[in-house]
Amino acid sequence: MTAPRHGTRATGVGLAFCAPWLLGFVLFIAGPAITSLWASFTDASMVEPARQVGGANYARLISDTLFWRTLAQTTAYALVLSGLGTGGALALALLLRRRPRGAGVARLLILLPAAVPTAACGVLWIWLLSADYGPVNSLLSRFGVRGPGWLVSPAWVPVSLVLVGLWTIGPSVIILEAALGRVPRSLEEAASLDGAGRTARVWRIVVPAIAPVLLFVLVMAMIVGFQAFAVPFVLLGAEGGPERSGLLLAGYIYQTAFARLDLGYASAIAWVQLLVVLALSLVLCRLSRRTAFGADPEGAP
Amino acid sequence: MSRLARTLLLWLIAGAFALPLAWMVLGSLAGTESLASATPRLLPRSPGSALEQAARNYVGEVGPGGETITRGVWTDPVVDFPTSLRNTLVIVMLGTAGMVASCALGAYGLARVRWRGRRAVLLLMLLTMLLPFPVVMGPLYILFRELGWIGTLRPLWVPAWLGAGFGTLLVRQYMLTLPRELDDAARLDGCSHWGVFVRVILPLCAPALAAVAALHVLATWNDFLGPLIFLQRREQFTLALGLHAYQTQAGQVPWNLLMAACVMVVAPMALLFALMPRAWGAAQAAE
């Protein structure tokens, strides 16, 4: 890759083509990221010049019970939503794979909610999940079920957030369905000649074959879940709803930076968020590598 | 599971996904009173009455002298839907043009020019996709404030002119599938890199560029946090922010009007999805 034959002229041309992105990277990504790292060691506010405070912001995090609650709520939300979402998307992709009657329309209906802007999604679900006059509880009551206070009971708020999140798994379904389509038929046929039943073929041949894509979908869903902001904000308000049961990290950072104008502390929380996201992604990749290579010793005939 | 059971199950699930959207549309066609009860009446009495109510909810009633009788979403000065729509269109169009141009440039630099730093740039792009927006949003606000851009639409479209890692990688992936002989032939004919880019490669990349455009339109139309931070005055709001303001304003807006507003915000993106299912195919190629 570093062969000298590329020459300095080629380097100039390459740099020129990449110049817009590189400039944007410095101005809007690297610059602000470094500034926020620096700010996390100061008492920077949105309005006044900053003073160095060393690790005080990080020390404050340790005793901030709201931070720990928010971190726990966000982790639970991201893990449950990405797990259920990826599992559900896999199930739907497997259903679609056999091209049942009307698969095209069904696929579009499943994908469509992902086109709904997050603000509209929030406004829509406030009405749908309203305890007293919402269509969801009204539908439940027809079956004799007394619907819960989806958005007013602290115990149900996390459930509602996951439910609304699951509504938008369409893109994951499409990605997994495409990956299933690339699994060679011959693999399955060989297994079926060896006497493997349909369930065994799916779980021991087809699903392991798409393991890398499955992992990609899972990690992306987790990263997105960890950064969720708009839906909880619109659905439950800036403070995160009853007893802040729906306050997630991004919302807490937003509140700290833009309502309390405490940029230094907000930056410290944001960097912790970044580190947790990176750590979780790494752990997932590690775990999956072990299982992907360890699984199914008699898979190959 | 038998074939019939699988089909029924799929249809049941697809119906569950569609039900909230159906409720949204039905709600936007209902009268205010029929929604404000413990047992909301969602199905209209007749198609005629639904149409009449739709006109009232979406547009409003205007008297013979031009005076407003009932306010619909389009004519309600509180939400000022036409202005929000215009702001959103400005941001979407200016931003998308810049996004497509700079992603194409970067992708050519990474896919068709052999130079020493391209691996490093590629890696940097992948890493930036992991960076959560909350990490940079505070400093970005201060940067835009120093530039005097807060309270204008600029923070929401100017950065798009400098591209994005995801879009660049998507187009690069597509460019890598084009045969190298194309470039070599054009270079032998005396074309510069710029000439090869504009005349040979760019026209062949149309599907990938369309996918980048579609994804950026969707992202910008849907963006909530950006407008929330960078916009201040009502007359600059985008549709997403305006919708939220409409819902939270004092003196509760009735649900049928809110659902009509939702339908108006959702419909263009739903159409884009229905017309461009291939954008998702291209997007996943970048994985």
Side-chain angles (χ1 to χ4, degrees), chain A residues 170-210:
Chain A
S172 303
V173 178
I174 304 292
I175 292 175
L176 290 175
E177 196 197 349
L180 287 175
R182 289 194 295 265
V183 176
R185 287 259 161 218
S186 54
L187 264 184
E188 270 190 87
E189 279 154 15
S192 119
L193 287 180
D194 285 352
R198 183 187 285 174
T199 319
R201 288 203 304 268
V202 167
W203 289 108
R204 316 199 69 166
I205 310 286
V206 178
V207 173
I210 62 159

Side-chain angles (χ1 to χ4, degrees), chain B residues 233-277:
Chain B
R233 282 174 295 130
R234 193 70 197 73
E235 61 268 26
Q236 288 150 349
F237 279 11
T238 58
L239 285 173
L241 202 54
L243 183 61
H244 176 244
Y246 197 37
Q247 188 259 319
T248 49
Q249 72 161 327
Q252 268 267 306
V253 175
W255 284 111
N256 54 344
L257 293 191
L258 283 170
M259 288 306 116
C262 279
V263 170
M264 284 155 90
V265 174
V266 170
M269 292 307 105
L271 203 66
L272 186 74
F273 256 54
L275 293 179
M276 287 209 56

Side-chain angles (χ1 to χ4, degrees), chain B residues 130-237:
Chain B
L130 286 176
L131 190 73
F133 185 67
V135 172
V136 291
M137 67 185 179
L140 273 182
Y141 178 86
I142 293 175
L143 172 70
F144 293 138
R145 193 183 57 198
E146 295 308 309
L147 290 170
W149 288 4
I150 297 299
T152 74
L153 298 180
R154 269 172 251 164
L156 299 173
W157 65 265
V158 174
W161 278 85
L162 299 178
F166 181 76
T168 310
L169 294 176
L170 199 156
V171 182
R172 171 186 171 268
Q173 208 68 30
Y174 192 86
M175 277 185 191
L176 288 176
T177 63
L178 303 175
R180 268 217 95 86
E181 290 76 38
L182 285 172
D183 308 38
D184 297 339
R187 306 267 311 174
L188 280 179
D189 287 347
C191 258
S192 64
H193 266 298
W194 179 253
V196 176
F197 171 62
V198 174
R199 273 183 240 137
V200 182
I201 301 293
L202 213 47
L204 293 173
C205 286
L209 299 179
V212 169
L215 290 173
H216 188 71
V217 168
L218 186 75
T220 321
W221 188 280
N222 293 2
D223 187 19
F224 181 73
L225 184 50
L228 181 70
I229 292 172
F230 300 130
L231 300 180
Q232 287 168 330
R233 282 174 295 130
R234 193 70 197 73
E235 61 268 26
Q236 288 150 349
F237 279 11

Side-chain angles (χ1 to χ4, degrees), chain A residues 78-284:
Chain A
L79 290 182
V80 171
L81 180 59
S82 57
L84 286 180
T86 308
L90 177 62
L92 282 174
L94 286 169
L95 275 179
L96 283 167
R97 188 171 72 114
R98 294 294 165 101
R99 308 229 166 278
R101 192 182 292 267
V105 180
R107 185 189 299 112
L108 183 64
L109 290 180
I110 290 167
L111 184 60
L112 222 41
V116 175
T118 43
C121 183
V123 172
L124 169 64
W125 283 96
I126 297 175
W127 176 52
L128 295 184
L129 294 178
S130 153
D132 304 322
Y133 51 81
V136 170
N137 277 2
S138 144
L139 181 69
L140 287 176
S141 72
R142 278 194 203 185
F143 298 99
V145 180
R146 217 182 112 79
W150 297 100
L151 302 175
V152 289
S153 143
W156 280 95
V157 162
V159 179
S160 306
L161 283 180
V162 169
L163 196 72
V164 175
L166 287 177
W167 190 49
T168 55
I169 58 170
S172 303
V173 178
I174 304 292
I175 292 175
L176 290 175
E177 196 197 349
L180 287 175
R182 289 194 295 265
V183 176
R185 287 259 161 218
S186 54
L187 264 184
E188 270 190 87
E189 279 154 15
S192 119
L193 287 180
D194 285 352
R198 183 187 285 174
T199 319
R201 288 203 304 268
V202 167
W203 289 108
R204 316 199 69 166
I205 310 286
V206 178
V207 173
I210 62 159
V213 182
L214 208 52
L215 177 71
F216 168 80
V217 168
L218 180 71
V219 172
M220 286 312 285
M222 205 201 61
I223 292 175
V224 169
F226 232 87
Q227 299 179 30
F229 174 81
V231 169
F233 185 90
V234 175
L235 206 53
L236 300 158
E239 298 290 337
E243 293 171 27
R244 303 185 173 212
S245 47
L247 187 65
L248 302 184
L249 271 178
Y252 190 38
I253 297 168
Y254 171 82
Q255 281 290 91
T256 310
F258 291 96
R260 295 190 255 293
L261 303 181
D262 193 346
L263 180 59
Y265 193 47
S267 302
I269 307 172
W271 273 89
V272 171
Q273 178 193 22
L274 172 60
L275 292 179
V276 173
V277 169
L278 284 180
L280 274 177
S281 314
L282 278 179
V283 167
L284 276 179

